Amino acid sequence: MKLHRESKGTITLATILFIILGALAIYFLKIWSLLIIMPLLVIYSLVFWFFRVPDRNILDHKENVIAPVDGKVVMIKEVDEDEFIKGKAIQVSIFMSPLNVHICRYPVSGEVIYKKYHPGKYLVAWHEKSSTENERTTVAVQTMTNHKVVFRQIAGYVARRIVFYCNEGDKAKAGHEFGFIKFGSRMDVFLPLDTEIICKIGDITKGGLDVIAKLKEN
């Protein structure tokens, strides 16, 4: 299994803790140490599972808006996007549990024209205000269809580290990685009002593969 580059520090720490706690359990509890070691082994395995990098066949897209993460669609609504679009947009939000793949992918193809990191709170990720009050990043892409699409990584109650690797001027390719969020969170995508929304609330998405919307050709 291939592991994500963000796993190095977490897995090193988890390994050290597992060895120390396992050794202490064996020393003090003898045969009963299995009652401690087995749950620790499950947690240790879940850390590796969390940082897995699935092998996916990413296609080229122009009009299609691709699911940026694995997760569940929890919101589709018209909103005012005040940071970059400064007007109305359709917001599609996808919630990631700690068991989902947490690679963050470009939802559209084009050119990165804006990026910004915002410190903030750690409200639960499905809270509506988390989009504007939580620690988050905002990225905007000028698409190949001449639209401006904004997407946002949002930290949650558990997720306390967001990373994004893109810079203004970078080429964005739908379905390809631009960042990572550790341990459960959310991604919002803000689309033009005339976008054809294909997904619905409750849909389970696979990042880089599932088409969630289609932009109008300008």
Side-chain angles (χ1 to χ4, degrees), residues 165-212:
Y165 314 118
C166 61
N167 291 297
E168 292 181 16
D170 284 355
K171 183 179 181 181
K173 294 188 69 175
H176 290 259
E177 180 181 359
F178 79 90
F180 194 89
I181 306 179
K182 289 188 178 180
F183 300 114
S185 196
R186 191 175 110 193
M187 269 200 71
D188 293 344
V189 182
F190 298 88
L191 301 164
L193 293 178
D194 62 353
T195 302
E196 178 187 356
I197 305 299
I198 295 173
C199 64
K200 60 183 183 298
I201 292 177
D203 282 357
I204 303 301
T205 62
K206 280 199 171 185
L209 298 180
D210 293 337
V211 178
I212 61 171

Side-chain angles (χ1 to χ4, degrees), residues 66-86:
I66 305 302
V69 291
D70 290 24
K72 182 178 181 179
V73 179
V74 295
M75 183 186 301
I76 302 172
K77 65 182 295 187
E78 184 177 314
V79 299
D80 288 310
E81 201 293 306
D82 296 327
E83 181 178 350
F84 183 81
I85 296 174
K86 301 188 184 304

Side-chain angles (χ1 to χ4, degrees), residues 82-124:
D82 296 327
E83 181 178 350
F84 183 81
I85 296 174
K86 301 188 184 304
K88 293 192 177 297
I90 300 174
Q91 176 180 333
V92 178
S93 299
I94 301 175
F95 173 74
M96 296 169 279
S97 81
L99 296 179
N100 286 126
V101 174
H102 274 60
I103 295 169
C104 299
R105 306 170 187 273
Y106 289 111
V108 291
S109 297
E111 181 182 342
V112 177
I113 55 175
Y114 177 83
K115 62 170 282 190
K116 189 169 184 178
Y117 165 79
H118 303 269
K121 300 178 181 179
Y122 296 98
L123 302 173
V124 289

